[in-house]
Amino acid sequence: MDGTPLKARHPVAPEISRLVAEHRPGGPLERDFYLASEVFAADLARIFHRHWVFAGYAFQVPRPGDFFTYKVGSESIIVLRDRAGVIRAFHNVCRHRGSRICKTEQGNAHRLVCPYHRWTYELDGSLVLDTAREFGVDKAELSLRPVAIEDAAGLLFVSLSLDEAPPDFSEALATIRRKMKPHALERAKIAHQIDYVVKANWKLVFENNRECYHCPPNHKEYNTAAYDVQRDMAMLDPSLQPGMDAIVARANARFRTLGLDEGDAMSTMTGVSWRCHRTPVMEGFVTQSMDGKPLCNRLMGGIKEWDSGTLRTTVFPNFWQHTNCDYAAAARLTPIAPDETHVRGYWLVDAEAVEGKDYTLDRLLPIWDLTNKQDWTICEDQQAGVSSRAYLPGPYSRIRERNVAHFLDWYLSELSA
């Protein structure tokens, strides 16, 4: 540590404090939250460099020495498996003069070697070079700086916080581990991934994920497989609720026979900043697909039968995943600039599934790739609109946009924490 408290190095500027104080609950943010470089810097410092963020999957580092890197703003981390089989994370910064150590996104290394002066580190982060005589500092004081990391049933979350404890994440970890266990993500693999660059602020991308008010006119393919629209309509029209309740009751009876947790059609958060919740797929469907038929012929992990619903997992500020009986689709958000966000889309299948035999990409990808691209267009149009001097925040629907308001309440509290 350099002795300087984090809050002193990353203060919440008076202008940002004013924006937070003037926000009207129940409606969108003011335009500067989506445009100002000062707000973007605060988002990195107070949200992405402090809170728990999704970095990747445990199966991406199956052997000792396997690593991948993840960059958020100015920060880069190395996630690896050490010789004892433990998954660790370190800041990708040499303790000599600060050079990046790993410059590739993934690989395997016997040791971590800085390309500048060849300072070498073991996989547990300890420095190999004896520095006492030449540098006057014992090598034990020059290990790589660790990054807090948690494995939640194969999902790897990290906190880049340096000088204060990361937010309590224990309840989320326990719930995700319990509910994700039947899907055995440690036995999964990435069938495909797509990198999207969305010309919109990261908050607009996440806000869009938090509601399905936009689904009827925009997501024809997704709407065929999920009850999001029907759920919202039942909340607007109580006469429709008994029918929704009957669908949920039938789904829960099936989930119980499969030894899975019960769920419902709601999309509310499990905790303040996370959700892990099973919802039914459309009756007559066995998975989230455009025709209801499997997208992969091999069930995931320990799932024994088709039609096990969809386990929706969402963690603020950068991750969501829909885990079905045969595949999972996920997204990892990384802010690039005030008006630009990188989204990595993942499609997971069981590790034993064979492309061309158990699944094909032309069948696996479309429902989510189409939905993603539809969403990115929506977000980019919104970014263009909020950039206008004529933009004034309007009201949220108290029913169909309640989860957006929840996300913004969390965001504002974290920004000014």
Side-chain angles (χ1 to χ4, degrees):
M1 295 185 183
D2 62 10
T4 305
L6 182 66
K7 292 180 182 178
R9 286 187 282 135
H10 299 296
V12 177
E15 179 64 13
I16 297 175
S17 296
R18 181 190 65 78
L19 287 169
V20 173
E22 293 181 358
H23 172 67
R24 293 182 299 171
L29 298 172
E30 295 284 345
R31 67 193 294 268
D32 281 350
F33 278 105
Y34 305 113
L35 302 176
S37 58
E38 295 84 359
V39 174
F40 181 73
D43 284 357
L44 289 175
R46 297 302 302 157
I47 307 294
F48 281 85
H49 293 167
R50 172 177 167 269
H51 210 271
W52 293 96
V53 296
F54 174 75
Y57 295 95
F59 63 71
Q60 292 179 263
V61 288
R63 302 167 299 160
D66 286 344
F67 72 86
F68 67 84
T69 58
Y70 180 43
K71 185 175 183 296
V72 186
S74 62
E75 305 304 313
S76 173
I77 65 167
I78 306 165
V79 177
L80 59 77
R81 192 177 294 270
D82 71 13
R83 300 189 203 288
V86 177
I87 297 178
R88 298 176 180 268
F90 302 100
H91 289 275
N92 191 9
V93 178
C94 182
R95 294 299 308 280
H96 178 211
R97 288 170 60 183
S99 176
R100 287 281 185 258
I101 299 169
C102 294
K103 297 194 290 183
T104 59
E105 189 171 329
Q106 60 185 11
N108 181 276
H110 178 67
R111 287 172 170 171
L112 301 176
V113 181
C114 175
Y116 195 2
H117 299 97
R118 306 296 293 176
W119 277 37
T120 302
Y121 302 86
E122 290 287 0
L123 299 181
D124 63 1
S126 60
L127 181 64
V128 173
L129 177 69
D130 188 352
T131 53
R133 180 177 178 181
E134 183 177 358
F135 297 90
V137 181
D138 190 277
K139 67 178 182 179
E141 299 180 34
L142 295 170
S143 297
L144 293 177
R145 299 191 72 172
V147 171
I149 185 167
E150 292 285 356
D151 183 347
L155 306 173
L156 299 179
F157 294 92
V158 298
S159 172
L160 303 180
S161 179
L162 285 171
D163 299 305
E164 60 180 322
D168 182 19
F169 199 47
S170 57
E171 185 181 0
L173 290 170
T175 303
I176 293 171
R177 285 167 179 159
R178 175 172 57 83
K179 294 193 174 188
M180 194 70 70
K181 184 178 179 180
H183 297 274
L185 289 190
E186 69 277 4
R187 287 163 44 195
K189 67 178 180 181
I190 297 174
H192 195 67
Q193 67 183 37
I194 300 177
D195 291 319
Y196 309 93
V197 176
V198 186
K199 299 294 185 179
N201 185 274
W202 71 273
K203 295 187 289 294
L204 293 182
V205 179
F206 215 99
E207 289 170 27
N208 178 73
N209 173 262
R210 295 285 67 231
E211 50 96 347
C212 219
Y213 190 8
H214 69 277
C215 290
N218 292 284
H219 292 323
K220 178 182 69 175
E221 296 81 10
Y222 176 78
N223 294 340
T224 63
Y227 283 108
D228 298 59
V229 174
Q230 292 89 333
R231 174 205 67 211
D232 283 352
M233 296 311 297
M235 294 183 69
L236 287 167
D237 182 354
S239 69
L240 301 176
Q241 193 60 52
M244 196 77 258
D245 291 341
I247 290 169
V248 170
R250 289 191 291 270
N252 281 338
R254 177 165 180 77
F255 296 162
R256 286 193 296 271
T257 66
L258 298 177
L260 301 172
D261 59 291
E262 295 187 6
D264 60 39
M266 298 301 290
S267 188
T268 49
M269 298 295 287
T270 311
V272 173
S273 63
W274 57 278
R275 169 184 68 165
C276 191
H277 184 73
R278 194 171 301 278
T279 63
V281 295
M282 196 70 69
E283 288 194 311
F285 282 44
V286 299
T287 190
Q288 282 188 316
S289 65
M290 288 189 282
D291 60 6
K293 298 177 181 178
L295 297 184
C296 179
N297 292 329
R298 182 180 287 270
L299 292 165
M300 290 195 78
I303 298 295
K304 302 300 183 184
E305 295 185 35
W306 302 100
D307 186 12
S308 59
T310 297
L311 185 65
R312 300 188 184 195
T313 307
T314 305
V315 179
F316 299 167
N318 82 324
F319 176 73
W320 61 78
Q321 178 170 296
H322 286 221
T323 311
N324 293 277
C325 58
D326 57 336
Y327 80 99
R332 183 189 74 181
L333 275 59
T334 308
I336 300 175
D339 59 353
E340 194 170 67
T341 304
H342 173 266
V343 183
R344 173 158 292 177
Y346 300 90
W347 284 260
L348 312 182
V349 295
D350 188 84
E352 299 299 319
V354 177
E355 184 178 355
K357 176 185 175 183
D358 296 309
Y359 68 94
T360 59
L361 295 184
D362 63 346
R363 183 158 169 76
L364 179 67
L365 301 184
I367 187 169
W368 283 106
D369 188 35
L370 285 170
T371 301
N372 287 341
K373 290 174 179 176
Q374 291 157 357
D375 280 331
W376 310 156
T377 298
I378 292 168
C379 294
E380 291 178 351
D381 288 345
Q382 190 182 5
Q383 181 71 42
V386 300
S387 298
S388 169
R389 291 180 297 114
Y391 164 71
L392 288 173
Y396 281 144
S397 164
R398 297 176 182 178
I399 294 175
R400 289 182 285 185
E401 293 173 297
R402 67 194 185 285
N403 285 332
V404 189
H406 176 97
F407 167 67
L408 292 186
D409 287 344
W410 172 84
Y411 163 72
L412 293 170
S413 68
E414 292 294 318
L415 189 65
S416 57

